[in-house]
Amino acid sequence: MLVLAHRGYHVTAPENTLEAFDAAIMAGVNGIETDVRMSRNGVPVLVHDRVMATGQAVSDLAHCEIEDVLGHKIPTLDEALAHFPDILWNIELKTPHRLSTVFGVLEKYQACHRIIVSSFRHDLIAICASSLKLDCGLLVAHRPQTLDSLWAGFDCEGNARINHLVWDYNVLDQAMLAQAAARGFRNFVYGPVTRAEHEECRQLGVDGVITDYPLLAQGV
């Protein structure tokens, strides 16, 4: 079971920063999950929240203004990928805004990095899978009635690059995990908290966990 640090390992450093990513690698994780949004000046920045604590949308602020609000450096997608070439990356697309700019950065690294692109916006994943040579995944926050209903409206199984399902821990279903695996999908899970929950993921045979507690997933 692969262990991916959710927004880096942010016990001692702010989330989605180079320091948090470095701490995750020092903690021995297999990969890092992070979020990409667009700043007002067209820079793909690694920020999770759509709206700052000031009430300002990330998309209404320039990169330097976002850093001023948060009080620390915020890496761009380009900077993070360049800085950590040897780790597995799970890049979550948060918005369709200037998607071609994000794709331009990902294309730059697709031949030399291990990258999985995921999103709750499954339409963006369909575009990504047809535009880039990267593994793609559907983020799933609910338990679907059937596995097929997850990709209603686009040909998921017809595109081999859409090959990951990233499930919320709260909706884990052993039968559905088995169905997905039988169809060739890799099952990742986000949101386990306790040691027992991480161990349950391991017992269910999931391929990876995206966690704020990577040491628990490693049995430390």
Side-chain angles (χ1 to χ4, degrees), residues 66-82:
I66 296 169
E67 293 180 325
D68 287 343
V69 170
L70 293 176
H72 56 260
K73 291 289 185 182
I74 291 294
T76 67
L77 178 61
D78 199 351
E79 288 172 338
L81 292 176

Side-chain angles (χ1 to χ4, degrees), residues 118-197:
S118 63
S119 183
F120 288 108
R121 287 284 304 263
H122 295 177
D123 57 330
L124 303 186
I125 292 304
I127 298 170
C128 183
S130 63
S131 303
L132 298 172
K133 297 176 181 179
L134 292 173
D135 290 332
C136 298
L138 308 180
L139 273 159
V140 184
H142 68 286
R143 186 196 180 283
Q145 286 190 320
T146 67
L147 204 59
D148 289 333
S149 66
L150 280 177
W151 40 82
F154 67 95
D155 186 12
C156 181
E157 289 191 294
N159 192 320
R161 298 200 184 284
I162 305 177
N163 49 25
H164 286 68
L165 296 176
V166 187
W167 303 88
D168 185 344
Y169 174 82
N170 292 295
V171 301
L172 281 187
D173 180 286
Q174 187 170 14
M176 200 156 283
L177 289 173
Q179 290 175 31
R183 293 192 184 192
F185 289 92
R186 302 192 76 200
N187 290 302
F188 279 41
V189 175
Y190 69 91
V193 174
T194 67
R195 188 181 301 276
E197 288 176 351

